Amino acid sequence: MTTNVTPGTDPEPNPHATEEQVQAALADTKLAQVLYHDWEAETYDDKWSISYDERCIDYARGRFDAVAADQPLPYERAMELGCGTGFFLLNLMQSGVAKKGSVTDLSPGMVKVAVRNAEGLGLDVDGRVADAEKIPYDDNTFDLVVGHAVLHHIPDVEQALREVLRVLRPGGRFVFAGEPTTIGDFYARWMSRATWAATTNVTKFGPLRGWRRPQEELDESSRAAALEAVVDIHTFDPAELEQMARNAGATQVGTATEEFAAAMLGWPVRTFEAAVPPEKLGWGWAMFAFNGWKRLSWLDEKVLRKVVPPKFFYNALVTGIKPDA
């Protein structure tokens, strides 16, 4: 599947992969990336409770400031690598981090949704289908490159970081957030599997059947989960992630980690939401999930960070600078 294309010739999204394509993707991680994320694109924001209002603007800006606070803002031109639906860059732009943006992803479906979201917000953003290991932009194009939960999908992370540095202007910065740590990924997956099994089994019986999604939707989710196991390639030790950035040529490299107690709530909540009909979960549930996450994030930041080693937190963040010429 060709993805390194010129503007106007990007491939069309393929939201309904055939069983044959899914089987082929099990042995081809980049094909799996495209199929899985095209599959998820139109429902991704709902699945992950993504919005483009104050709630997610504050969240995105908080991730940026965790490793790149006190920078002169705004950056003139920014790119998001592996943009998904545009969550990170579009919310950062709304917070004043950048004036103009470019969204890139291996999935045509995700690029389509991200550009549509940007248009709806009135932001100056263009989109390209792009392989992170061979970014289709000229040297010295961007002042800032960002990404959220993308590096762990890329086969050669160090090569992708070299490409990021190539397209950055001298003195430009990159910020990647939302990358799973090795220990965090272990307990998150365990909790997700346990929650899915419990919910889908309990809702087979009696009055709880009304809380069960149609079997075809559950089967579809299971097929997507099979691809998810292929697209999630890496987990990171924070120190090793920092060394990758240095090996790629970055200077002023720094890392941080976050979400320990918050992850213990967040992963079961997200899995439960995927297993039950969305109409069963109203505003009260949404506020419980969000406020619970906020309180536990406060606990992580103010208390647990002082006693729990960084590698036990779920999310890793990394930043670096392209050296001056």
Side-chain angles (χ1 to χ4, degrees):
M1 182 174 292
T2 301
T3 55
N4 185 21
V5 295
T6 55
T9 63
D10 283 359
E12 288 296 314
N14 176 22
H16 303 293
T18 65
E19 185 61 35
E20 291 75 17
Q21 288 173 319
V22 171
Q23 290 303 313
L26 296 178
D28 182 344
T29 185
K30 290 190 178 180
L31 176 59
Q33 302 286 354
V34 175
L35 295 183
Y36 175 76
H37 290 100
D38 274 5
W39 204 336
E40 295 273 286
E42 294 293 340
T43 58
Y44 197 76
D45 284 348
D46 288 338
K47 175 182 177 180
W48 295 101
S49 299
I50 290 171
S51 63
Y52 301 89
D53 54 16
E54 184 178 357
R55 177 176 65 90
C56 281
I57 292 171
D58 289 346
Y59 178 87
R61 184 59 184 270
R63 310 289 73 74
F64 183 87
D65 288 345
V67 289
D70 303 322
Q71 301 301 309
L73 299 176
Y75 289 88
E76 191 65 32
R77 187 177 183 190
M79 180 189 80
E80 182 170 8
L81 191 69
C83 63
T85 57
F87 154 74
F88 202 38
L89 180 59
L90 303 189
N91 282 313
L92 287 177
M93 291 178 70
Q94 291 190 99
S95 79
V97 165
K99 294 180 182 179
K100 183 177 181 180
S102 297
V103 290
T104 67
D105 201 289
L106 196 61
S107 159
M110 288 296 192
V111 174
K112 177 182 176 181
V113 174
V115 170
R116 186 175 69 211
N117 284 340
E119 290 173 350
L121 295 167
L123 298 174
D124 186 1
V125 171
D126 60 75
R128 297 281 296 275
V129 174
D131 186 329
E133 295 174 7
K134 192 174 181 182
I135 300 172
Y137 286 96
D138 294 336
D139 297 1
N140 308 321
T141 298
F142 299 100
D143 305 289
L144 173 70
V145 172
V146 299
H148 190 276
V150 58
L151 296 181
H152 70 285
H153 293 311
I154 301 171
D156 191 338
V157 175
E158 199 168 300
Q159 169 60 21
L161 291 173
R162 284 193 289 269
E163 278 290 280
V164 165
L165 290 167
R166 179 184 65 78
V167 300
L168 277 171
R169 296 189 177 106
R173 175 180 292 274
F174 64 78
V175 173
F176 290 98
E179 299 300 336
T181 64
T182 300
I183 294 174
D185 183 72
F186 173 80
Y187 61 69
R189 287 186 183 276
W190 183 88
M191 289 188 296
S192 292
R193 286 194 294 267
T195 303
W196 180 265
T199 305
T200 55
N201 280 295
V202 167
T203 54
K204 291 178 180 179
F205 304 105
L208 292 178
R209 287 178 180 172
W211 284 77
R212 185 175 179 82
R213 282 184 185 253
Q215 189 60 45
E216 58 270 21
E217 290 187 19
L218 296 176
D219 291 343
E220 187 91 346
S221 293
S222 295
R223 291 176 69 205
L227 281 180
E228 189 173 19
V230 179
V231 302
D232 290 345
I233 304 173
H234 306 290
T235 59
F236 299 101
D237 178 277
E240 293 174 355
L241 183 58
E242 189 170 323
Q243 189 58 51
M244 284 183 190
R246 289 200 176 94
N247 291 346
T251 61
Q252 301 181 47
V253 176
T255 58
T257 56
E258 59 182 6
E259 289 195 24
F260 180 64
M264 301 290 184
L265 173 69
W267 281 101
V269 162
R270 294 184 190 108
T271 306
F272 179 74
E273 289 172 345
V276 303
E279 64 271 12
K280 293 291 186 180
L281 305 174
W283 179 249
W285 170 266
M287 294 308 296
F288 154 75
F290 180 58
N291 290 328
W293 178 86
K294 283 182 67 175
R295 292 187 184 100
L296 292 177
S297 293
W298 181 92
L299 178 66
D300 287 337
E301 180 66 28
K302 302 300 182 182
V303 180
L304 297 180
R305 186 176 298 281
K306 299 174 183 178
V307 295
V308 178
K311 64 182 179 181
F312 285 90
F313 285 72
Y314 179 75
N315 278 329
L317 306 87
V318 63
T319 189
I321 298 289
K322 178 174 180 173
D324 291 332

